[in-house]
Amino acid sequence: MKKIIITLTLSITYIFGLNAVVSITPEQEFLQAIGGDRVNISLMVKAGDSPHTYEPKPSQMIALSKADIYFAIGVEFEKAWLPKFKNLNPTMDIIDISQGVVKMTMEKDNHDEEEEEHHDEHEHQGDDPHIWTSIANIKLMATNIYTALSQKEPQNQDYFRANLDKYLLSLEQKDKEIRDILSSIKGDRVFMVFHPSWGYFARDYNLTQLSVEIEGKEPKPKELIHLLKEAKAKGVKAIFTQPEFSDTVSIVIAKELNIPVVKVTPLSAQCSQNLINIAKTIAQSE
Ligand code: ZN
């Protein structure tokens, strides 16, 4: 009897694919690209929710109890919740797709020499979790997903490999396109954001991200004055905000600097295409 049940479960998985769970929307693109029709993807942090403050809903805990594999990416809520997910579903594999990605410290080396004196008041603590805003990082994560899926379903390794090769090629083309778009920037390669989601993007393309939020908090009056001075000196032309956060402070800054507020989310389900969009937005605002 037991054998029949096991065979049945295996063939159900074979027909319907692996039940996979991802933390955030960008992972959907990576997993879909590599897993194709072999994966059914459930998403934890839905559009408009912030991965920094997210908590799972009861219906999602039920989905988790039926999942075969969880793809973690190192966002904040995972630290508290992954052990609970594992308790709920001990047979579920948990794969950290950020393995091998070199994490940046928040707002590190984005400051040039002349700003060094302000460094203390600007210091950010901890690793920057927004690793999916880099094509180079996405390539690594896609490869990690390929490895995990191939281990889970060795019989489909060739299929996953072909998908990976195709996806890596498309990422290289997007990287070229982004470089082309950004090559039109003549002035300072600086852009201003409310929440510092684009640190890896800035690193990859030699841009500077000027963040309103400091260590996840709105700036103190003194910090705000410094920020406005810096934004003016660098000729910042727009402030980018995202739907996951309030625009109140950004609107005040935008008025002060007489620049527009532009909404652009880093949590798009079309993650790599979205990097082309942000490149265009930055280039147009220069
Ligand atoms: Zn964030």
Side-chain angles (χ1 to χ4, degrees):
M1 186 62 191
K2 203 177 172 193
K3 200 176 172 193
I4 296 171
I5 292 170
I6 289 169
T7 318
L8 214 76
T9 318
L10 281 176
S11 45
I12 286 170
T13 309
Y14 186 74
I15 296 164
F16 297 109
L18 288 166
N19 289 321
V21 182
V22 297
S23 292
I24 55 171
T25 36
E27 292 182 273
Q28 279 183 307
E29 172 180 311
F30 320 151
L31 184 53
Q32 195 65 65
I34 314 304
D37 55 15
R38 294 298 311 146
V39 289
N40 309 309
I41 307 172
S42 302
L43 169 70
M44 297 305 285
V45 185
K46 299 269 151 64
D49 287 337
S50 165
H52 296 286
T53 51
Y54 169 80
E55 294 206 342
K57 293 167 187 65
S59 61
Q60 293 183 307
M61 294 304 269
I62 294 167
L64 272 163
S65 68
K66 295 171 187 155
D68 301 302
I69 188 161
Y70 191 105
F71 290 99
I73 190 171
V75 285
E76 243 154 296
F77 82 88
E78 289 172 359
K79 201 179 259 177
W81 285 92
L82 284 182
K84 294 175 191 170
F85 298 165
K86 189 74 188 170
N87 276 342
L88 185 73
N89 183 354
T91 59
M92 176 176 74
D93 293 333
I94 297 181
I95 306 295
D96 177 10
I97 67 166
S98 76
Q99 251 178 48
V101 172
V102 179
K103 297 265 176 85
M104 288 168 58
T105 315
M106 290 293 256
E107 281 254 308
K108 217 181 110 201
D109 54 29
N110 279 341
H111 296 264
D112 50 29
E113 301 282 312
E114 66 192 66
E115 284 172 61
E116 214 49 59
E117 54 183 304
H118 302 293
H119 207 83
D120 283 347
E121 48 180 304
H122 239 130
E123 200 104 82
H124 286 213
Q125 295 297 318
D127 285 342
D128 185 344
H130 310 92
I131 55 174
W132 58 91
T133 62
S134 155
I135 296 273
N137 291 350
I138 296 175
K139 282 183 184 170
L140 263 171
M141 292 190 275
T143 308
N144 289 340
I145 290 171
Y146 157 74
T147 306
L149 289 178
S150 300
Q151 270 163 11
K152 195 85 180 153
E153 289 194 330
Q155 71 276 21
N156 290 317
Q157 183 168 7
D158 290 347
Y159 172 69
F160 297 138
R161 180 77 233 185
N163 286 348
L164 175 67
D165 289 343
K166 205 172 116 193
Y167 188 52
L168 291 179
L169 194 68
S170 87
L171 289 172
E172 262 153 46
Q173 284 160 351
K174 289 197 171 92
D175 180 56
K176 275 199 199 93
E177 197 175 332
I178 293 167
R179 285 177 200 283
D180 269 1
I181 294 164
L182 294 174
S183 68
S184 70
I185 298 177
K186 298 282 180 286
D188 283 314
R189 296 172 72 88
V190 181
F191 61 102
M192 194 177 196
V193 296
F194 175 71
H195 181 72
S197 297
W198 305 96
Y200 294 89
F201 184 83
R203 176 202 66 187
D204 285 3
Y205 302 109
N206 190 28
L207 299 157
T208 301
Q209 168 183 252
L210 203 56
S211 169
V212 174
E213 259 191 355
I214 293 171
E215 289 170 24
K217 291 184 217 85
E218 291 181 355
K220 297 182 186 82
K222 196 184 153 206
E223 291 167 331
L224 188 59
I225 291 165
H226 173 56
L227 188 70
L228 287 170
K229 228 173 89 182
E230 199 171 352
K232 269 181 198 158
K234 294 268 165 75
V236 166
K237 302 281 197 310
I239 175 162
F240 301 135
T241 64
Q242 56 186 93
E244 296 80 17
F245 299 96
S246 156
D247 277 356
T248 316
V249 181
S250 307
I251 290 169
V252 172
I253 292 171
K255 269 193 186 146
E256 188 65 34
L257 296 172
N258 198 21
I259 57 174
V261 172
V262 180
K263 260 208 160 86
V264 50
T265 182
L267 290 164
S268 165
Q270 283 79 45
C271 178
S272 54
Q273 183 61 39
N274 193 43
L275 296 181
I276 295 179
N277 296 340
I278 184 85
K280 282 182 185 159
T281 314
I282 291 169
Q284 277 159 12
S285 73
E286 289 295 323

